[in-house]
Amino acid sequence: MSEISLIDRLAPLIDERCGIIRRVRRFIFPPGFEGQMHGFTAFLGRPAALHPGPSSVGSKLGSLTGSGTAVDETTAQIRAVCEALERYCGVMYPTEGVLRATPRSLGDRALDPARLPRCSARERARAPSAFRLREPDPDRDELWVRGFSLTHERPIWVPLTATYMGLPLPIREHALFPLSTGFAAGASFRQAILSGLCEVIERDSLALFWLHQLRMPRIAPGSARSPLVAALLRGAEAAGTETALLDLTTDVGVPVIGAVQTCAHGAPHAIAMAACRPDGEAAAARVLEEVGSLRVALSEPAPPVTRASFFTDADQTPESFGRLYAGPDGPARFAFATREAPVATAFPRPIEGDDPLAAIVARIAALGMEVVAVDVTMPEVRDFGIVVVKVIVPELLPISFTHHARYLAHPRLYDAPERLGYGARTEESITDDPIPFA
């Protein structure tokens, strides 16, 4: 399906009065960045009227948005609309087909909540009670939705609270902090699953990189052969912004490229993001487009953010994490990556073969990990040729937009840096600075 036909197909979903998406609005880029790319925000309509019941985001459903940036205008529109549809399907939790059972009774027919990332005892002790995720209990009733293990090629029950956002439950009843990571929309299940899986891998890399302040390689300027990457780097430089591209690829072996952009003459002074793709230069192009979206968000007027606020019981928005490093002292917080890290002269090797999804699932399986996908597509979205999935890899490390749940008990947080050659790590060596990724 071509991009033009896809945006035409999705057009009936956009209606100010009764559409799933209320409207799509063009970004206004800050001075110096105009004309480098296109950007759009897609605003959800009034889905609260269709919601299956009470929700922790029920009153905010109309304020949920999707954003998209790209050098190509149509691609940017599609990305914004599809991200909004991901948000919509991610909060419209099911009321039918949900199973209530204990993990012990389901055995290997279910994804054991004990395999999911967990907070450490010290982390839980520091967190306000409202932000303490519940500990797994094999004999506690759990709500489950049907998923599919791509690793073992069989159906599997998945905890509802590890899948959906917006459930009518307090955070302390969740297995994982509700987050959009792993949700992806596509014109096919394989396309959507690949996109969601890449995001899960990307977030794992970001968590390892930031929590341990790993000096992962900087990619030498001029290494890119892609004209798009070169053009985006030139555009940022012309606007007075310095860009450091980082190779954040881990033992998973799928290229993850980080970008840290710093600017001395105006806010935001520091922005950090990453992207994962089967090809490293494609990941670089994607992250350079995505920083455009974040730059717009961080340029909008907002109350100041202080580090102390992340340690209170106040909830934080994703943008708050980015704003914390947008001030004049922001660039210095990334010096370990932009100034002190070793230099690589090439991008990571791409995933080879005609089926990148199968190749990535095989790589993850070889590490003893499992890829699980849940079809969360709402019927009214499926009718327009779009499917939405939630991808979960319990052995990979997520990030969350609360400083009270960083999953500091997850074994990968300590195993992976040592396997990657960064030496032994402990909880005491983890930075206490909140993540900078919005």
mmCIF file with all atom_site columns, all heavy atoms in Angstrom, residues 33 51 237 402:
data_model
loop_
_atom_site.group_PDB
_atom_site.id
_atom_site.type_symbol
_atom_site.label_atom_id
_atom_site.label_alt_id
_atom_site.label_comp_id
_atom_site.label_asym_id
_atom_site.label_entity_id
_atom_site.label_seq_id
_atom_site.pdbx_PDB_ins_code
_atom_site.Cartn_x
_atom_site.Cartn_y
_atom_site.Cartn_z
_atom_site.occupancy
_atom_site.B_iso_or_equiv
_atom_site.pdbx_formal_charge
_atom_site.auth_seq_id
_atom_site.auth_comp_id
_atom_site.auth_asym_id
_atom_site.auth_atom_id
_atom_site.pdbx_PDB_model_num
ATOM 1  N N   . PHE A 1 33  ? 15.086  26.269 12.399 1.00 0.00 ? 33  PHE A N   1
ATOM 2  C CA  . PHE A 1 33  ? 14.804  24.879 12.035 1.00 0.00 ? 33  PHE A CA  1
ATOM 3  C C   . PHE A 1 33  ? 13.655  24.765 11.025 1.00 0.00 ? 33  PHE A C   1
ATOM 4  O O   . PHE A 1 33  ? 13.265  23.665 10.658 1.00 0.00 ? 33  PHE A O   1
ATOM 5  C CB  . PHE A 1 33  ? 14.478  24.057 13.286 1.00 0.00 ? 33  PHE A CB  1
ATOM 6  C CG  . PHE A 1 33  ? 15.653  23.898 14.207 1.00 0.00 ? 33  PHE A CG  1
ATOM 7  C CD1 . PHE A 1 33  ? 15.905  24.829 15.194 1.00 0.00 ? 33  PHE A CD1 1
ATOM 8  C CD2 . PHE A 1 33  ? 16.515  22.826 14.064 1.00 0.00 ? 33  PHE A CD2 1
ATOM 9  C CE1 . PHE A 1 33  ? 16.998  24.700 16.035 1.00 0.00 ? 33  PHE A CE1 1
ATOM 10 C CE2 . PHE A 1 33  ? 17.618  22.684 14.894 1.00 0.00 ? 33  PHE A CE2 1
ATOM 11 C CZ  . PHE A 1 33  ? 17.864  23.623 15.885 1.00 0.00 ? 33  PHE A CZ  1
ATOM 12 N N   . HIS A 1 51  ? -15.298 4.438  25.586 1.00 0.00 ? 51  HIS A N   1
ATOM 13 C CA  . HIS A 1 51  ? -14.420 3.673  26.473 1.00 0.00 ? 51  HIS A CA  1
ATOM 14 C C   . HIS A 1 51  ? -15.212 2.623  27.234 1.00 0.00 ? 51  HIS A C   1
ATOM 15 O O   . HIS A 1 51  ? -16.354 2.861  27.636 1.00 0.00 ? 51  HIS A O   1
ATOM 16 C CB  . HIS A 1 51  ? -13.702 4.613  27.448 1.00 0.00 ? 51  HIS A CB  1
ATOM 17 C CG  . HIS A 1 51  ? -12.405 4.068  27.938 1.00 0.00 ? 51  HIS A CG  1
ATOM 18 N ND1 . HIS A 1 51  ? -12.290 3.310  29.055 1.00 0.00 ? 51  HIS A ND1 1
ATOM 19 C CD2 . HIS A 1 51  ? -11.158 4.157  27.424 1.00 0.00 ? 51  HIS A CD2 1
ATOM 20 C CE1 . HIS A 1 51  ? -11.029 2.965  29.231 1.00 0.00 ? 51  HIS A CE1 1
ATOM 21 N NE2 . HIS A 1 51  ? -10.327 3.462  28.251 1.00 0.00 ? 51  HIS A NE2 1
ATOM 22 N N   . GLU A 1 237 ? 23.459  21.770 11.976 1.00 0.00 ? 237 GLU A N   1
ATOM 23 C CA  . GLU A 1 237 ? 24.658  22.605 12.136 1.00 0.00 ? 237 GLU A CA  1
ATOM 24 C C   . GLU A 1 237 ? 24.385  24.040 11.714 1.00 0.00 ? 237 GLU A C   1
ATOM 25 O O   . GLU A 1 237 ? 24.820  24.993 12.376 1.00 0.00 ? 237 GLU A O   1
ATOM 26 C CB  . GLU A 1 237 ? 25.807  22.013 11.326 1.00 0.00 ? 237 GLU A CB  1
ATOM 27 C CG  . GLU A 1 237 ? 27.127  22.744 11.513 1.00 0.00 ? 237 GLU A CG  1
ATOM 28 C CD  . GLU A 1 237 ? 28.248  22.117 10.715 1.00 0.00 ? 237 GLU A CD  1
ATOM 29 O OE1 . GLU A 1 237 ? 27.968  21.287 9.829  1.00 0.00 ? 237 GLU A OE1 1
ATOM 30 O OE2 . GLU A 1 237 ? 29.423  22.467 10.981 1.00 0.00 ? 237 GLU A OE2 1
ATOM 31 N N   . THR A 1 402 ? 8.289   7.660  35.281 1.00 0.00 ? 402 THR A N   1
ATOM 32 C CA  . THR A 1 402 ? 8.280   7.974  36.695 1.00 0.00 ? 402 THR A CA  1
ATOM 33 C C   . THR A 1 402 ? 9.649   7.571  37.218 1.00 0.00 ? 402 THR A C   1
ATOM 34 O O   . THR A 1 402 ? 10.175  6.510  36.854 1.00 0.00 ? 402 THR A O   1
ATOM 35 C CB  . THR A 1 402 ? 7.165   7.242  37.471 1.00 0.00 ? 402 THR A CB  1
ATOM 36 O OG1 . THR A 1 402 ? 7.344   7.503  38.876 1.00 0.00 ? 402 THR A OG1 1
ATOM 37 C CG2 . THR A 1 402 ? 7.222   5.746  37.252 1.00 0.00 ? 402 THR A CG2 1
#
